[in-house]
Amino acid sequence: MVSTNQAPDKSGESPFLRWINLRSGEGDRTFWMFAFYTFTSTGLIWLEACSVEMFLAQFGAANLPLIYIVSAALKIGLGWLYSELQRYLPLRAVIVTIALLLASPLPFFSVGLSGGFGEQFGQFYVLQVVVFGMQLWLEASHVLNDLNASITANQLFNIREIKRTYPLISSGILVADVVGGFSLPFVLGLFPRDVAVSQVLLIAFGFMLSGAVILWGLSHLYQQAFPEVRRRRDDTTAENSATRLQGQMQRYMSLLQIFFALAQVFLLLIEFQFLTQLGQHSEISSQLGKGDIAGFLGIFNGAMGICELIMQWSFSSRVLDRVGVFRSLMLMPLIIIGFTGVSITGVSPVFVSILVMRFLYELLHYTLLTGSVPFLFYSVPDYLRNREQARVRGIAEPISTALTGLMLLGLVKLGLNGMGAAEKLSLGIMIVFAIGWLITIVFLKKEYLNLLVLNAGRGQLSTSDVDMKALRQRTIETLEKPGADEDKRACIDFLSDIDGKNAGEVLAPLLSKLTPELQHKSIEVMLNHPNPAFLNPVKSLCSQRPAPEVMAVALRYIWLTEETASISELRHYLKPNHPSIVRATAASLILRQGTISEKAEATYVLQAMLKHKQTQERVIGCRALGGAVHLQGLRLWLKPYVADLLKDPSIEVKCATLEAISATRSEEFYRYLLSGLYVRPTREAAKSALVRLGNEVLPKLIWIADDIDRPPLVRSEAFSAIGQIGTPEAIELLISRLLTSWGTTRRLLLRILLKIPNEKGIEAVSERLGRQGIEELIDQELMFMGQVYAASMDLILERVRCDETVLLRSALETLPTDSIERLFLLMKFLYPIGSIRVAEFNFQSDSRSAIAQGLEILDSTLDIGNKRALLGVLDHELSMDKLQSLSSVVSYTPMQPNERLNQLLELRHFISDWALACCFHLARRARWDLSGDAIRSSLRHPRGYVREAVLSYIAKQYPQQLGRVLQKFQDEHDPIVSKQVKHMMQALGMTSPEPSSKVVFFQRPGLN
């Protein structure tokens, strides 16, 4: 077992939060966002029900296309307004303004419906204008509400948090469907029929106003999450030209825009058909209780909301994972084709078919389609993703809305919206569009796959996400066409990652057409999942006398795959006329499965190779031992050779020997792997060998890493090896040390955790520490910086001006720079790494404009509690200004220089080793008393120059105790300190240690 320090249980995370997949610190923000979205959506759902009833009564469904056309322009206008407001107002003011804007027309609609404006303008015309305005505002409000919610959520949550929280937040509209839908008939029944709708609008206004108030509270409670500065009007022409989409990316984005445009088209077409049928069969709704369309729609939305909630919480993610995203999306056009065909053929009543079709389509649209959006944009590069999503939502959807409105308006004008043949023609148009949508999904899937293959290694997909047949075909085409070997090698790697088990089906037939390097790579991939079905292509390749490296790996594949292969046939390859790598491979295979006599012959071959004069022979012999599996007999046979091989003058032989020790798992030789970390030529090979051993060597590695007396480089390599092992146990060891380390060690651990593939280190830190724990580490850095700046201020005094003061202040100046580096590393655990990296790069520039841009990036990204303090430190140049910025974290009280130095020594575990040494040099020069704890602790410091500084201080400040102190340094290993001790003992006339049963330093009053 590997002992680790125990951390708090996920920062006090409650079982309920774990049950709903939230982390500590996310619950409050998620709840209030859910409340805001639910209240606002409830108001909009009631507005929709009332608006639809009044519109059908006043204008009929035939005039809905006009609404679609005008609302498209309104959506684009409101989107432009949203963008413009950000140039004049802080974002937290913009989101509240938009929330109030959404609710503001409802009281006027209510007054207009109740006849409040009739005397001035004429009751009939007022009613017409109000009803038309209600429907128009409704169409635009849904888009604006979704946009407002998504932008607010993006500010309140980082990219990792939003994956967990946004599904809960977005279910607010589903809860609103259920609660608002089923309660609407009851609320309508509370008022007289002639004023019921106007009263419901006032209640809906109350709901939306409550949502705006919640949003206002959120924006103030978490104001650090919203940038204070207004968005700049930057000239992005150069950036746009540099990131212009080309080639396959252009085709993919075009298909993606068509896909979402058609999704919006069908949302409108189905709504138009549904409301047309509802208007023509209004007697259906009268059987449901209140005799009005609003009540029917309320019950319908409520029932659909319940199903959407069940689908969202229970089945949506499972369907997408098991069926695959693209197959799931194909369900929507298939449903349209099926139910529209049923309506045309008259198998069921048109109203029933349209009703069921709308129910199923919206069920899938607001669950599967909504959940697929991040996946569909996954293959788009990060720097283009947000822009392209905005284009789809802000341009493609409104334009498709306008075009759909024009089409429907044309049908209406031509009289094609009635019953009979005209109705069948309009339904036929839906089938044509659905077939086009289905074809678009097929091509979209193909282009998505092409992008992933060309950018191999970028995707992280399950086999359900990709059509394996299409992937294999695309891989075959890539490997057969002329091109760079690097691209083809990446393609093979991608195939291995996605479908490694069946990679042989693609690679085996192509072996004879590939270059030797690719042949070797392909057979290595096939060796991961050996299959006798592919033996013939490999044997055929062997008969063509390929390159020695290819021949060796082919032999390994044949004799590890074919059950009937005779080991005796391998003896042919032991002859000296074969290349050394082929002979070594044959020998290692015989050692695995041969008879005693065959193994003896193979052993003789390897012995000859290990003793050969040529370095390459010895290297290949050592590597062959690694392929012979960790057999006990082999380890005993290897034992006499290890010591000699590790003394070999060739570095390659030494490294190959270390690899063999790891491959054979020879525990008695693990000490050589650890020793290899101390020597630069063998360091990488030793580390790779240790990583291959996995959890087995974790206790040994952490023992070295925790030993502060070992060389820092060796300790860092041990930590690095633990990170490359990357198992949960290894990551847990790193996180436990992260909590107790400081300075360069903490920086090293942060870097290692960030480098662990697939963000396993980031996820583990978030899981173990929670957001609160990471913020506490950030606050520690800010507090430390405050103490350093305070020390710099108090050591400016003229009366302590000396060389030692200059040295100390120079050492202190580097500490905030180190802290800032650790701050950026910590921020990468909370926010998108790309954004933080860009900001960090800008801060490394000498240009003030670049630094200002970095500040703006952080202002828009960060939402930590001490955000203002952090930005202030980064923005100011003078220590006093930086200290003022940190006033919320550290309160500065001027001190005498000697007092400040003693306080700095209390932080000796946090400051650098050189700064600690400088503290003692300054104290020696100024003749200041220091605390006994600091002196005793620093005498045991692992760095020699720190011990040298402490001894110099004691010799000057406490000469009477120097003799007893020097007794502990008789066996000093550092040459500088040893020479200093010898000189001091000679000065004191000491030739041998004075007898003392126990040496205790600095216990007199005033020094402790």
Side-chain angles (χ1 to χ4, degrees):
M1 295 293 292
V2 180
S3 62
T4 60
N5 296 334
Q6 297 297 319
D9 183 16
K10 298 183 183 180
S11 304
E13 185 178 313
S14 70
F16 176 72
L17 287 180
R18 289 197 296 271
W19 180 68
I20 60 176
N21 195 30
L22 292 183
R23 306 269 171 82
S24 178
E26 297 172 359
D28 290 343
R29 288 173 291 159
T30 303
F31 170 76
W32 287 115
M33 274 299 298
F34 172 82
F36 149 70
Y37 200 44
T38 302
F39 273 89
T40 308
S41 299
T42 301
L44 287 176
I45 285 171
W46 283 9
L47 171 63
E48 178 182 9
C50 296
S51 175
V52 167
E53 178 179 9
M54 298 300 296
F55 189 88
L56 292 178
Q58 293 293 322
F59 299 99
N63 288 295
L64 277 174
L66 186 61
I67 289 290
Y68 298 153
I69 296 170
V70 180
S71 68
L74 182 60
K75 289 175 185 177
I76 294 175
L78 288 174
W80 173 84
L81 176 64
Y82 203 117
S83 179
E84 286 297 308
L85 282 175
Q86 295 180 56
R87 293 176 175 170
Y88 303 101
L89 296 174
L91 183 58
R92 61 193 181 96
V94 173
I95 59 174
V96 176
T97 301
I98 293 298
L100 293 172
L101 178 65
L102 289 176
S104 57
L106 268 65
F108 298 99
F109 293 153
S110 176
V111 173
L113 291 179
S114 62
F117 301 122
E119 296 180 0
Q120 295 88 343
F121 305 104
Q123 181 65 34
F124 176 76
Y125 296 107
V126 168
L127 188 61
Q128 295 267 323
V129 172
V130 169
V131 171
F132 190 86
M134 283 172 59
Q135 189 66 27
L136 190 64
W137 189 252
L138 173 67
E139 294 293 331
S141 295
H142 280 298
V143 174
L144 212 57
N145 183 45
D146 292 343
L147 183 62
N148 213 31
S150 62
I151 287 179
T152 305
N154 283 331
Q155 293 299 133
L156 288 173
F157 303 97
N158 63 49
I159 193 170
R160 297 178 187 90
E161 293 172 336
I162 209 165
K163 292 177 183 178
R164 296 184 294 269
T165 60
Y166 200 70
L168 296 173
I169 294 169
S170 61
S171 63
I173 191 171
L174 307 182
V175 173
D177 276 336
V178 176
V179 177
F182 283 119
S183 63
L184 183 57
F186 171 75
V187 175
L188 287 169
L190 297 177
F191 304 101
R193 185 173 181 78
D194 55 340
V195 297
V197 172
S198 61
Q199 296 300 314
V200 167
L201 287 177
L202 289 177
I203 300 176
F205 170 74
F207 274 106
M208 297 178 71
L209 191 62
S210 299
V213 171
I214 292 173
L215 195 58
W216 176 84
L218 264 174
S219 66
H220 282 73
L221 186 60
Y222 300 99
Q223 58 182 319
Q224 70 274 6
F226 299 90
E228 293 291 337
V229 296
R230 298 184 292 273
R231 198 183 71 188
R232 294 181 177 180
R233 187 190 298 267
D234 292 328
D235 182 10
T236 59
T237 304
E239 179 184 355
N240 290 340
S241 63
T243 60
R244 189 176 296 128
L245 299 175
Q246 296 178 354
Q248 286 187 313
M249 181 63 71
Q250 177 65 61
R251 291 196 295 274
Y252 180 73
M253 288 311 308
S254 298
L255 287 169
L256 206 57
Q257 291 188 2
I258 294 172
F259 171 81
F260 282 105
L262 287 173
Q264 183 68 13
V265 166
F266 279 109
L267 203 62
L268 299 176
L269 287 176
I270 293 173
E271 180 187 50
F272 176 76
Q273 292 288 350
F274 174 72
L275 295 180
T276 298
Q277 295 297 323
L278 190 61
Q280 294 171 356
H281 298 78
S282 57
E283 66 275 6
I284 300 293
S285 64
S286 64
Q287 302 171 9
L288 298 175
K290 292 298 176 183
D292 59 322
I293 293 177
F296 171 75
L297 287 176
I299 295 175
F300 179 80
N301 288 335
M304 187 163 61
I306 290 178
C307 294
E308 287 173 346
L309 274 175
I310 295 173
M311 182 74 174
Q312 177 93 338
W313 291 350
S314 302
F315 301 107
S316 180
S317 61
R318 292 180 175 87
V319 171
L320 290 174
D321 184 55
R322 295 177 184 177
V323 179
V325 170
F326 292 104
R327 290 192 184 94
S328 301
L329 295 177
M330 288 179 182
L331 291 174
M332 291 186 289
L334 290 175
I335 285 174
I336 293 170
I337 293 172
F339 281 95
T340 306
V342 168
S343 301
I344 293 176
T345 57
V347 175
S348 70
V350 176
F351 177 75
V352 174
S353 298
I354 298 297
L355 180 70
V356 175
M357 180 168 63
R358 183 183 183 185
F359 184 90
L360 292 177
Y361 179 81
E362 293 203 4
L363 176 67
L364 298 180
H365 183 97
Y366 290 110
T367 54
L368 295 183
L369 178 59
T370 302
S372 302
V373 171
F375 174 89
L376 294 174
F377 283 94
Y378 177 79
S379 60
V380 182
D382 296 341
Y383 62 90
L384 294 175
R385 191 175 301 152
N386 291 337
R387 189 184 74 184
E388 294 305 319
Q389 281 187 273
R391 280 185 177 180
V392 169
R393 198 62 190 267
I395 298 176
E397 290 187 5
I399 290 177
S400 65
T401 300
L403 293 177
T404 305
L406 288 172
M407 181 187 69
L408 292 176
L409 189 61
L411 291 174
V412 170
K413 293 299 182 182
L414 292 174
L416 298 181
N417 63 321
M419 300 297 290
E423 182 183 60
K424 291 182 179 181
L425 182 56
S426 65
L427 293 174
I429 292 175
M430 290 182 65
I431 292 180
V432 172
F433 274 104
I435 293 173
W437 198 18
L438 198 60
I439 294 172
T440 301
I441 295 174
V442 173
F443 280 102
L444 189 66
K445 179 180 180 181
K446 181 181 178 181
E447 290 300 328
Y448 182 87
L449 181 60
N450 288 340
L451 284 176
L452 289 180
V453 171
L454 291 179
N455 297 282
R458 174 181 164 77
Q460 299 169 5
L461 310 175
S462 66
T463 54
S464 64
D465 298 322
V466 178
D467 184 345
M468 288 298 116
K469 183 178 179 180
L471 173 63
R472 296 186 194 110
Q473 184 60 39
R474 178 61 183 171
T475 303
I476 292 171
E477 293 174 3
T478 303
L479 294 177
E480 286 182 336
K481 291 179 181 178
D485 277 6
E486 289 185 5
D487 295 337
K488 294 183 178 182
R489 189 180 299 109
C491 188
I492 294 172
D493 286 333
F494 179 64
L495 177 65
S496 175
D497 291 338
I498 296 298
D499 193 24
K501 188 176 182 180
N502 302 308
E505 296 179 13
V506 175
L507 300 176
L510 298 174
L511 287 176
S512 60
K513 302 177 183 180
L514 300 176
T515 62
E517 292 79 7
L518 294 178
Q519 289 173 343
H520 185 271
K521 178 67 179 178
S522 299
I523 299 176
E524 278 190 333
V525 169
M526 293 166 60
L527 267 172
N528 294 330
H529 301 279
N531 190 334
F534 310 130
L535 279 170
N536 288 336
V538 179
K539 288 181 177 180
S540 175
L541 184 64
C542 288
S543 66
Q544 300 172 14
R545 294 186 178 182
E549 294 80 7
V550 178
M551 186 69 178
V553 73
L555 287 177
R556 184 174 295 279
Y557 186 87
I558 293 171
W559 264 267
L560 292 180
T561 305
E562 189 174 21
E563 296 180 359
T564 59
S566 174
I567 295 297
S568 60
E569 295 179 15
L570 282 172
R571 296 173 63 187
H572 166 72
Y573 295 101
L574 295 178
K575 296 179 179 179
N577 61 319
H578 289 285
S580 57
I581 190 171
V582 175
R583 287 187 283 116
T585 301
S588 68
L589 291 171
I590 292 174
L591 286 174
R592 293 166 65 108
Q593 304 175 19
T595 63
I596 295 177
S597 61
E598 291 168 343
K599 287 182 178 179
E601 186 176 0
T603 300
Y604 175 79
V605 171
L606 287 179
Q607 284 177 331
M609 295 183 74
L610 294 177
K611 297 177 181 179
H612 203 280
K613 294 180 180 180
Q614 293 184 8
T615 300
Q616 190 63 25
E617 290 278 334
R618 299 197 301 275
V619 170
I620 292 174
C622 291
R623 289 176 178 168
L625 293 175
V629 189
H630 41 287
L631 302 174
Q632 184 64 30
L634 180 61
R635 292 197 297 207
L636 294 174
W637 177 84
L638 179 64
K639 190 172 183 179
Y641 293 93
V642 170
D644 292 336
L645 290 171
L646 289 174
K647 295 176 183 177
D648 195 283
S650 170
I651 297 300
E652 284 188 275
V653 173
K654 292 178 181 178
C655 293
T657 304
L658 295 177
E659 292 174 5
I661 292 172
S662 173
T664 56
R665 294 188 177 269
S666 305
E667 296 180 30
E668 60 270 32
F669 304 134
Y670 284 177
R671 65 183 185 276
Y672 294 120
L673 300 181
L674 299 174
S675 299
L677 295 175
Y678 288 79
V679 185
R680 184 179 64 82
T682 60
R683 187 169 291 133
E684 284 302 318
K687 185 166 70 172
S688 298
L690 287 165
V691 169
R692 213 166 16 243
L693 292 171
N695 286 354
E696 187 178 352
V697 292
L698 284 181
K700 294 178 172 61
L701 285 172
I702 201 63
W703 172 65
I704 292 177
D706 284 342
D707 190 350
I708 61 174
D709 291 324
R710 296 185 184 273
L713 184 57
V714 174
R715 294 183 62 209
S716 68
E717 291 296 339
F719 275 127
S720 178
I722 294 172
Q724 290 182 33
I725 290 172
T727 60
E729 294 81 5
I731 295 174
E732 177 63 25
L733 284 174
L734 295 176
I735 297 175
S736 65
R737 270 63 185 180
L738 178 66
L739 299 174
T740 57
S741 65
W742 189 257
T744 54
T745 303
R746 175 173 286 186
R747 180 179 60 191
L748 173 68
L749 291 171
L750 291 172
R751 285 176 176 171
I752 291 172
L753 287 165
L754 287 168
K755 287 181 181 178
I756 296 177
N758 302 321
E759 296 190 346
K760 290 181 181 178
I762 296 175
E763 291 297 331
V765 170
S766 300
E767 183 76 17
R768 172 75 182 273
L769 305 184
R771 182 184 178 87
Q772 182 180 354
I774 299 173
E775 286 198 34
E776 286 177 358
L777 296 180
I778 292 175
D779 292 343
Q780 284 180 10
E781 297 288 352
L782 293 175
M783 287 187 284
F784 173 67
M785 291 172 71
Q787 294 291 345
V788 171
Y789 289 131
S792 298
M793 294 297 301
D794 289 341
L795 294 173
I796 293 178
L797 299 180
E798 290 295 332
R799 63 191 183 92
V800 291
R801 295 287 291 181
C802 58
D803 292 340
E804 286 78 2
T805 306
V806 176
L807 281 175
L808 177 57
R809 294 195 64 230
S810 177
L812 293 179
E813 287 175 359
T814 65
L815 298 182
T817 304
D818 294 340
S819 275
I820 289 173
E821 185 177 356
R822 291 191 294 270
L823 283 171
F824 276 107
L825 291 171
L826 286 166
M827 284 186 273
K828 291 175 183 177
F829 287 88
L830 294 176
Y831 307 104
I833 292 178
S835 300
I836 302 301
R837 187 178 290 125
V838 171
E840 185 177 16
F841 177 79
N842 285 336
F843 280 108
Q844 293 172 354
S845 171
D846 294 331
S847 168
R848 289 302 302 171
S849 61
I851 294 174
Q853 187 176 3
L855 284 169
E856 188 164 352
I857 292 172
L858 292 182
D859 191 16
S860 301
T861 304
L862 302 185
D863 58 354
I864 58 176
N866 287 316
K867 169 182 171 179
R868 292 293 123 204
L870 194 154
L871 294 179
V873 168
L874 296 174
D875 190 23
H876 294 106
E877 295 183 355
L878 300 177
S879 297
M880 178 56 75
D881 295 334
K882 293 176 183 288
L883 199 54
Q884 183 63 35
S885 300
L886 292 169
S887 58
S888 61
V889 181
V890 177
S891 58
Y892 171 61
T893 303
M895 293 184 180
Q896 291 298 317
N898 60 325
E899 294 176 355
R900 178 61 69 182
L901 192 70
N902 270 286
Q903 187 180 44
L904 198 59
L905 284 174
E906 292 178 5
L907 304 172
R908 58 188 174 274
H909 300 296
F910 301 94
I911 63 177
S912 67
D913 298 337
W914 174 240
L916 178 60
C918 290
C919 287
F920 282 97
H921 284 306
L922 176 59
R924 175 182 58 81
R925 177 67 178 269
R927 304 296 298 267
W928 290 336
D929 286 339
L930 300 178
S931 69
D933 287 340
I935 297 173
R936 287 190 297 272
S937 173
S938 301
L939 281 172
R940 297 187 297 270
H941 199 279
R943 303 285 82 80
Y945 55 82
V946 175
R947 299 196 299 274
E948 184 266 341
V950 180
L951 288 174
S952 299
Y953 170 77
I954 296 172
K956 185 72 173 287
Q957 191 71 4
Y958 307 109
Q960 69 278 10
Q961 299 197 37
L962 181 61
R964 287 190 295 163
V965 172
L966 293 176
Q967 295 177 47
K968 287 291 186 179
F969 288 83
Q970 292 293 308
D971 299 323
E972 174 61 43
H973 58 275
D974 186 275
I976 297 177
V977 180
S978 178
K979 184 176 180 180
Q980 179 193 32
V981 169
K982 184 178 180 181
H983 176 74
M984 287 182 172
M985 293 181 72
Q986 290 176 351
L988 293 175
M990 296 174 57
T991 57
S992 60
E994 297 178 4
S996 175
S997 60
K998 185 177 182 182
V999 179
V1000 181
F1001 307 130
F1002 308 111
Q1003 293 294 332
R1004 66 185 180 83
L1007 293 179
N1008 295 301

